[in-house]
């Protein structure tokens, strides 16, 4: 694999998208939304080349139909794309259908059926628990046994580049008697890894079956209003605090491309129930980073983490999701939970990086950050590092805009 | 209105479906799934009559496209149906397209975009809180200010008549050190009222706007595994405990049909923030009942309640849902939360009726029930009582089947 090259020269250098990656997206270069494959600095316009798929699978600009077609079609397409983009013999036919990424806008790569967000970062759960309940009760009693999750809002999922408007909501300070309606003052990010369910299920599935159902992965930023969450979340969990936006990276990196980067989940402190045990490594080693760019100023990397910190793999989470008999559908999106490492500079949220605002983060230009400020652009990046290449995800970015003006009917 | 009659004779007597109702469903009489309107004991096969709609709105057997078409089309259709079914002059053309309900199977009336479940029954929240936290801390601190809700799982929503298989899940007794994987032993129902969002929104909407977005209502049984919920729900809320099934009644009763039955929400103990205040009555007075039929034996009404007990209307809940900027979509379903009254025999769940299993319910045939047993059929019914007629919803029923056998891979 390390020696495989593409005839697309930009795919062979410093790029997220070498021939080993071939991630799937939807792009618009001014001539309409189409399905595409990233290769170096370019996008292959899939529908314009001899892709070997049933054309009905490309009838709408979204990867759901290809997912529905199943693992055999996924393998055939990947083999065909590898051939088209590595074999010089295809160059003449294919090269006219490469479009520059710099001249294209990326759109949502798939229709999100439903969105579930998990809580599988042990350092994150411990940090948050320590802040809210003290170090002795940091991890909830169920955490080492259950891949805790909650249902998020699919309508809130947006593609990288979409601006995010600071939300309004009910908040109540510890010294206040009554709640106020206010723009969130503790608006935050969460560094997560998203798994896309590519095959449906009805009834319980094993971890091995769950792994086979996963089509690919994206980076995911679960924007979170901590002040709204603190007031609303007892007893039924986060709701409006998490419904403003969830940003995903534009390229679906396939499970096949990540195969060489599998690692096991961390050693268990408590044995898992049999239905959650992994028959083989189902986690991944992927370098992650979070960058913050103030409205005016340079970008600054505020955290570096790794998907290998996750205590539960997406396959384990998906298997757990089905225990109740819950039907899973093509296009379901599963967020991993915030991925924080052990060190302070590997924390995946500003809540943790600023320790609830008590230790504001200092940026090199002298600014400080406890939470996200208007105009800030937050970007997640990630790449699995191979021998001489990397499998990257592209930027998962969003700029925060000021809260809207309060409508008349919401004023006192 | 009270004097209006239909030429369909069964619509003028003891029926949920007089000419004043005209609810919308999807039926199959053996000749395929079609959109229909209930009238007395019959179903009008909508596509076969001169309905006046753009035929594209009937292109798939689901009411989503009619909803998308907007309030003006909703009003036109209702007026046209009233004319067709009340004016003798249309009888000859329309009567051949009536199908007996007894010879039809009802299907899901619409595609559920997303499903949100609220917690607006004050007696329910108080009862549950008293059981779990004691009488002094019964209501969560936020309850009188926030229409608390959580996102449910749209893929779990099924139409009345669909069997419900008892779920497996992680449970842990108070005296156990570690959780077990077990069929739920505390499987329960929740008597709820469901609102269907018929128009989309992007950004905050007022309570008045939210009310206008609602297309209609159904009865809703939010099946709940109390033992799974008790172990999983801290800190992110219910997840697999609520993902087995949510049963809805098959007929969408329109907002227009319920207009005469509007009542205000109960008096406030704490003033609401302006964005939640109702400009006019937006709750409804609808008699509700829950019936239990053991596998062998007669049906027994175990609870009688009323939607008027709800502390927040669906319009208030929907307005709250949008505060974060959360986009709402056509086909979103909002559960009200369990509707319990003040008296013991008006409680809307077995958890409350049996007080957590401590006071099992005695059925007339000598059986007792703390929670739902295999083979039991639970049926919700509801009707708004007018002068000489009633606006009913039809049965919202489901029979509980035994848990599936544990697959090999889940065994020790």
């Amino acid at each position: 694999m390390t020696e495989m090259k593409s005839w697309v020269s930009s795919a062979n250098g410093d790029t997220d998208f070498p021939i080993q990656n071939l991630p799937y997206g939807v792009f618009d270069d001014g001539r309409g939304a189409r399905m595409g494959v990233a290769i170096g600095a370019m996008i292959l316009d899939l529908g314009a080349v001899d892709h070997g798929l049933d054309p009905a699978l490309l009838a709408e600009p979204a990867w759901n139909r290809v997912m529905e077609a199943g693992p055999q079609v996924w393998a055939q397409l990947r083999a065909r794309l590898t051939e088209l983009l590595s074999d010089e013999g295809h160059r003449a036919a294919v090269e006219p259908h490469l479009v520059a990424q710099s001249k294209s806008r990326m759109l949502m790569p798939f229709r999100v059926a439903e969105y579930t967000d998990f809580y599988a970062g042990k350092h994150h759960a411990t940090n948050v628990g320590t802040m809210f309940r003290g170090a002795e009760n940091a991890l909830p009693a169920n955490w080492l046994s259950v891949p805790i999750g909650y249902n998020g809002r699919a309508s809130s999922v947006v593609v990288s580049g979409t601006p995010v408007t600071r939300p309004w909501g009910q908040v109540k300070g510890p010294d206040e008697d009554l709640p106020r309606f206010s723009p969130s003052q503790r608006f935050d990010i969460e560094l997560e890894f998203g798994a896309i369910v590519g095959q449906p299920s009805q009834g319980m599935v094993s971890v091995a079956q769950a792994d086979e159902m996963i089509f690919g992965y994206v980076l995911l930023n679960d924007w979170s209003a901590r002040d709204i969450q603190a007031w609303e979340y007892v007893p039924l969990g986060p709701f409006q605090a998490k419904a403003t936006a969830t940003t995903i990276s534009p390229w679906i990196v396939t499970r096949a491309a990540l195969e060489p980067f599998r690692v096991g989940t961390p050693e268990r402190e408590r044995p898992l129930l049999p239905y959650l045990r992994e028959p083989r490594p189902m986690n991944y080693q992927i370098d992650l980073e979070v960058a913050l760019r103030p409205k005016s100023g340079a970008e600054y990397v505020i955290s570096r983490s790794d998907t290998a910190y996750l205590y539960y793999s997406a396959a384990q989470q998906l298997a757990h999701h089905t225990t109740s008999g819950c039907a899973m559908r093509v296009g379901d999106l599963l967020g991993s939970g915030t991925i924080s490492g052990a060190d302070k500079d590997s924390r995946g949220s500003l809540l943790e990086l600023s320790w609830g605002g008590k230790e504001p983060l200092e940026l090199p230009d002298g600014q400080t950050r406890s939470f996200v400020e208007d105009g800030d652009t937050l970007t997640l990046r990630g790449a699995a590092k191979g021998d001489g290449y990397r499998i990257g995800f592209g930027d998962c970015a969003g700029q925060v805009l000021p809260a809207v003006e309060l409508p008349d009917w919401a004023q006192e």
Side-chain angles (χ1 to χ4, degrees), chain A:
Chain A
M1 288 290 282
T2 58
E3 282 149 57
M4 186 176 291
K5 297 285 181 197
S6 171
W7 50 257
V8 180
S9 59
S10 62
N12 302 320
D14 173 26
T15 179
D16 272 357
F17 310 117
I19 184 84
Q20 290 86 354
N21 193 347
L22 303 177
Y24 302 141
V26 171
F27 71 102
D28 186 347
D29 57 355
R31 294 183 297 140
R34 275 122 63 217
M35 292 161 70
V37 182
I39 181 77
M42 310 300 284
I43 301 169
L44 174 67
D45 183 352
L46 184 66
V49 300
D50 182 16
H51 47 68
L53 296 176
D54 177 345
L57 303 186
L58 280 73
E60 55 173 347
W63 284 84
N64 299 63
R65 292 182 187 207
V66 172
M67 293 195 240
E68 279 163 19
Q72 201 175 333
V73 168
W74 307 349
Q76 284 164 2
L77 175 61
R78 185 168 168 82
R80 178 65 180 156
L81 290 167
T82 302
E83 185 191 331
L84 289 176
L85 291 165
S86 63
D87 182 346
E88 273 285 345
H90 292 292
R91 182 169 187 161
V94 171
E95 198 160 26
H97 305 294
L98 294 177
V99 172
Q101 287 173 30
S102 61
K103 291 181 181 159
S104 293
R105 190 165 63 97
M106 297 305 297
L107 306 174
M108 274 292 292
F110 68 107
R111 274 178 286 106
V112 180
E114 299 194 57
Y115 165 47
T116 309
D117 199 23
F118 286 88
Y119 193 51
K122 191 174 169 209
H123 296 292
H124 171 72
T126 304
N127 287 338
V128 172
T130 301
M131 274 183 260
F132 291 131
R133 289 179 297 271
E136 269 129 64
N137 301 303
L139 269 191
N142 51 18
W143 200 92
L144 295 172
S145 299
V146 187
I148 294 177
Y150 67 98
N151 299 298
R153 180 80 194 173
S155 71
S156 75
V157 180
V158 296
V159 73
S160 179
T162 308
V164 175
T165 302
R166 180 181 299 276
W168 285 83
Q170 279 200 31
V171 298
K172 191 184 87 63
D175 303 327
E176 293 172 315
D177 287 337
L178 290 172
R180 291 170 292 117
F181 197 60
S182 166
S184 172
Q185 299 303 308
R186 294 163 71 92
F187 197 50
D188 198 1
I189 54 152
E190 293 195 332
L191 169 62
E192 300 197 27
F193 192 48
I196 300 162
V197 176
Q199 285 283 280
S201 68
Q202 187 83 43
M204 257 189 275
V205 305
S206 70
V207 174
Q209 290 164 333
D211 188 59
E212 297 288 322
M213 286 165 63
I214 295 172
F215 181 65
Y217 292 88
V218 290
L219 304 178
L220 185 152
N221 180 357
D222 181 38
W223 299 89
S224 300
R226 304 294 179 194
D227 41 3
I228 296 171
Q229 187 173 352
W231 173 234
E232 77 174 356
Y233 91 109
V234 174
L236 299 186
F239 179 47
Q240 289 306 284
K242 302 279 195 170
T244 301
T246 299
T247 304
I248 62 169
S249 52
W251 295 106
I252 304 173
V253 175
T254 60
R255 183 159 49 84
L258 291 173
E259 200 61 37
F261 306 98
R262 283 183 183 257
V263 293
T265 44
E267 214 178 314
R268 299 289 131 179
E269 281 118 290
R270 192 192 288 170
L272 287 179
L273 286 165
Y275 83 92
L276 281 174
R277 292 180 197 152
E278 286 183 328
R280 67 183 186 109
M282 291 184 175
N283 214 1
Y284 297 94
Q285 183 130 39
I286 301 168
D287 293 355
L288 302 171
E289 69 175 42
V290 182
L292 185 154
R293 190 176 68 238
K295 192 170 178 182
S296 57
E299 183 183 278
Y300 174 48
V301 174
I302 58 172
S303 180
R304 292 181 202 278
S305 188
D306 194 312
T307 52
Y309 288 125
L310 289 167
Y311 196 80
Y312 297 101
S313 64
Q316 287 174 309
Q317 293 171 328
L318 178 52
H320 178 69
H321 211 319
T322 68
T323 50
S324 61
C326 181
M328 302 303 298
R329 301 192 286 198
V330 172
D332 283 341
L333 173 64
L334 311 183
S336 62
T338 307
I339 309 170
S340 295
D343 302 327
K344 181 163 180 178
D345 60 2
S346 64
R347 294 174 185 165
S349 68
L350 281 161
L351 177 72
E352 295 164 87
L353 286 162
S354 75
W355 207 251
K358 288 183 187 157
E359 303 169 16
L361 203 65
E362 289 183 22
L363 306 186
D365 65 0
Q367 296 190 54
T368 60
R369 284 292 181 281
S370 290
F371 292 96
V372 180
E373 298 198 359
D374 290 346
D376 285 353
T377 299
L378 275 294
T379 304
L380 315 184
R381 295 190 184 91
K385 302 287 167 62
D387 186 3
Y389 71 100
R390 68 172 190 268
I391 302 292
F393 287 77
D395 285 4
C396 176
Q399 184 178 31
V400 172
L401 305 183
V404 297
E405 270 191 57
L406 191 62
D408 289 345
W409 45 259
Q411 297 184 13
E412 283 289 355

